[in-house]
Amino acid sequence: MLELGQDSGAAADLISEGSEATFMADVVEGSRETPVIVDFWAPWCGPCKTLGPALEAEVKAQRGKVRMVKIDVDQNQMLAQQMRIQSIPAVYAFVDGRPVDGFMGAQGPAQIKEFVARIASMGSEAAGLEEAIAAAEEMLAEGAVTDAAQTFAAILGEEPENIRAIAGFARTHVAMGDLARAAEILAMVPADKAGDPAVAAARAEIDLAGASADAGETAALRAAVEANPADHQARLDLATALIAERKFEEAMDQLLESFRRDREWNESAAKEQLFKLFDLLGPKDPLAQKGRRRLSSIIFS
């Protein structure tokens, strides 16, 4: 956030030139952290020459609560068509990855000030929810399941379709041992968000928790695998039990070894279990990335 005493270069960082190539990163993804106002303009547009600087001034006055991306429609005609820009100046505001407000044509100083302030305040609300979600996830990770569940429930009271909160609320019920309720909660996710990484992780945790209930004791399963390395069912059960104990790397080793020995066993059950483990860990987890590379090396060897 920009503070008093920072130089004009820092303020200038709040305003950037965008393009078709950078729109997803600068606007859609960027707005998940800070609201973004997009100014569609052109050098020949008279009203743009007045509106643009006025918007910039108000954005800078918000001291980092909102950013602005300027798009020259002449240089980015395909993007202008996708955004259905029919006349300029046209202004859109994005919060949490989606457009939430906007206007076309010239605006007075008071209207511009009110618009920018309103968008900046949306970011404060979003940031507050994100902080609450992060806190609830930390509670869950530390074993404070009841506190986490109450926090996720409160978040959903404010934003019923928050995907991370739905997924987190479902995971608290997995931790409580109520897999049926966890599945019911996850069913609240809209169909077009079913592939979200947080949803995939929660779904994998439900599936793996259900499988671990019948897996057996780790020590006995490890002994069975050592006695007969070709016992794929024992190795799969061992991996499932290890996942329940949060021993993810050892579980991954067992699943990879099973797949290496017999890729087709039980309709590639080891690979399917690996994919669930990858989902549980998340796409950015270093262990999951390492596991995917190891699996690929086996497949293409």
Side-chain angles (χ1 to χ4, degrees), residues 252 256 274 278 286-296:
M252 190 175 294
L256 287 166
L274 274 169
F278 295 156
L287 181 59
Q289 293 174 349
K290 178 182 176 182
R292 289 185 183 279
R293 289 194 298 269
R294 290 177 63 190
L295 177 61
S296 295

Side-chain angles (χ1 to χ4, degrees), residues 11-138:
D13 290 342
L14 299 174
I15 316 296
S16 63
E17 297 287 342
S19 68
E20 293 166 359
T22 64
F23 189 81
M24 283 298 296
D26 291 347
V27 177
V28 178
E29 295 304 324
S31 70
R32 298 185 190 280
E33 297 181 3
T34 306
V36 178
I37 291 174
V38 186
D39 177 22
F40 290 92
W41 70 288
W44 47 263
C45 169
C48 297
K49 296 177 181 178
T50 301
L51 178 63
L55 279 170
E56 291 183 28
E58 293 300 331
V59 166
K60 292 174 183 177
Q62 289 295 326
R63 302 184 180 279
K65 295 179 182 178
V66 62
R67 295 190 303 106
M68 178 174 165
V69 175
K70 297 167 62 67
I71 303 288
D72 183 339
V73 295
D74 287 348
Q75 300 297 320
N76 300 277
Q77 295 182 14
M78 184 177 296
L79 178 58
Q81 291 175 4
Q82 291 173 345
M83 294 296 296
R84 298 181 181 177
I85 305 299
Q86 298 179 346
S87 64
I88 54 174
V91 175
Y92 285 87
F94 283 72
V95 175
D96 198 25
R98 62 183 187 274
V100 296
D101 204 347
F103 62 82
M104 288 188 292
Q107 303 285 311
Q111 293 169 303
I112 295 171
K113 185 180 183 68
E114 188 276 331
F115 175 79
V116 174
R118 184 170 69 254
I119 300 307
S121 70
M122 291 182 185
S124 299
E125 295 172 6
L129 282 177
E130 288 299 309
E131 289 177 6
I133 291 171
E137 290 174 341
E138 186 174 350

Side-chain angles (χ1 to χ4, degrees), residues 57-295:
E58 293 300 331
V59 166
K60 292 174 183 177
Q62 289 295 326
R63 302 184 180 279
K65 295 179 182 178
V66 62
R67 295 190 303 106
M68 178 174 165
V69 175
K70 297 167 62 67
I71 303 288
D72 183 339
V73 295
D74 287 348
Q75 300 297 320
N76 300 277
Q77 295 182 14
M78 184 177 296
L79 178 58
Q81 291 175 4
Q82 291 173 345
M83 294 296 296
R84 298 181 181 177
I85 305 299
Q86 298 179 346
S87 64
I88 54 174
V91 175
Y92 285 87
F94 283 72
V95 175
D96 198 25
R98 62 183 187 274
V100 296
D101 204 347
F103 62 82
M104 288 188 292
Q107 303 285 311
Q111 293 169 303
I112 295 171
K113 185 180 183 68
E114 188 276 331
F115 175 79
V116 174
R118 184 170 69 254
I119 300 307
S121 70
M122 291 182 185
S124 299
E125 295 172 6
L129 282 177
E130 288 299 309
E131 289 177 6
I133 291 171
E137 290 174 341
E138 186 174 350
M139 292 174 197
L140 181 57
E142 293 175 350
V145 179
T146 301
D147 290 342
Q150 291 174 347
T151 304
F152 281 126
I155 294 166
L156 290 172
E158 295 291 327
E159 192 173 307
E161 294 188 355
N162 188 294
I163 301 303
R164 281 179 62 192
I166 294 173
F169 196 38
R171 291 175 57 218
T172 63
H173 285 76
V174 175
M176 295 175 187
D178 191 347
L179 301 187
R181 178 58 180 149
E184 289 176 1
I185 293 167
L186 208 60
M188 295 164 54
V189 174
D192 62 337
K193 300 291 185 181
D196 185 276
V199 176
R203 186 182 302 112
E205 191 157 355
I206 293 170
D207 292 344
L208 291 169
S212 68
D214 301 321
E217 294 295 328
T218 303
L221 291 167
R222 187 177 283 109
V225 171
E226 290 173 355
N228 180 12
D231 187 342
H232 292 291
Q233 187 61 58
R235 195 180 293 276
L236 180 67
D237 290 342
L238 173 59
T240 304
L242 289 168
I243 291 171
E245 294 178 2
R246 318 299 285 184
K247 297 177 180 177
F248 299 132
E249 187 165 11
E250 188 179 355
M252 190 175 294
D253 290 341
Q254 295 294 342
L255 292 170
L256 287 166
E257 177 62 15
S258 178
F259 184 72
R260 186 190 67 79
R261 286 174 173 271
D262 187 346
R263 303 182 186 190
E264 304 301 326
W265 176 78
N266 194 17
E267 298 181 349
S268 299
K271 184 172 71 172
E272 292 304 311
Q273 197 81 322
L274 274 169
F275 287 152
K276 290 181 181 179
L277 179 54
F278 295 156
D279 284 342
L280 174 62
L281 294 171
K284 296 182 179 180
D285 184 88
L287 181 59
Q289 293 174 349
K290 178 182 176 182
R292 289 185 183 279
R293 289 194 298 269
R294 290 177 63 190
L295 177 61

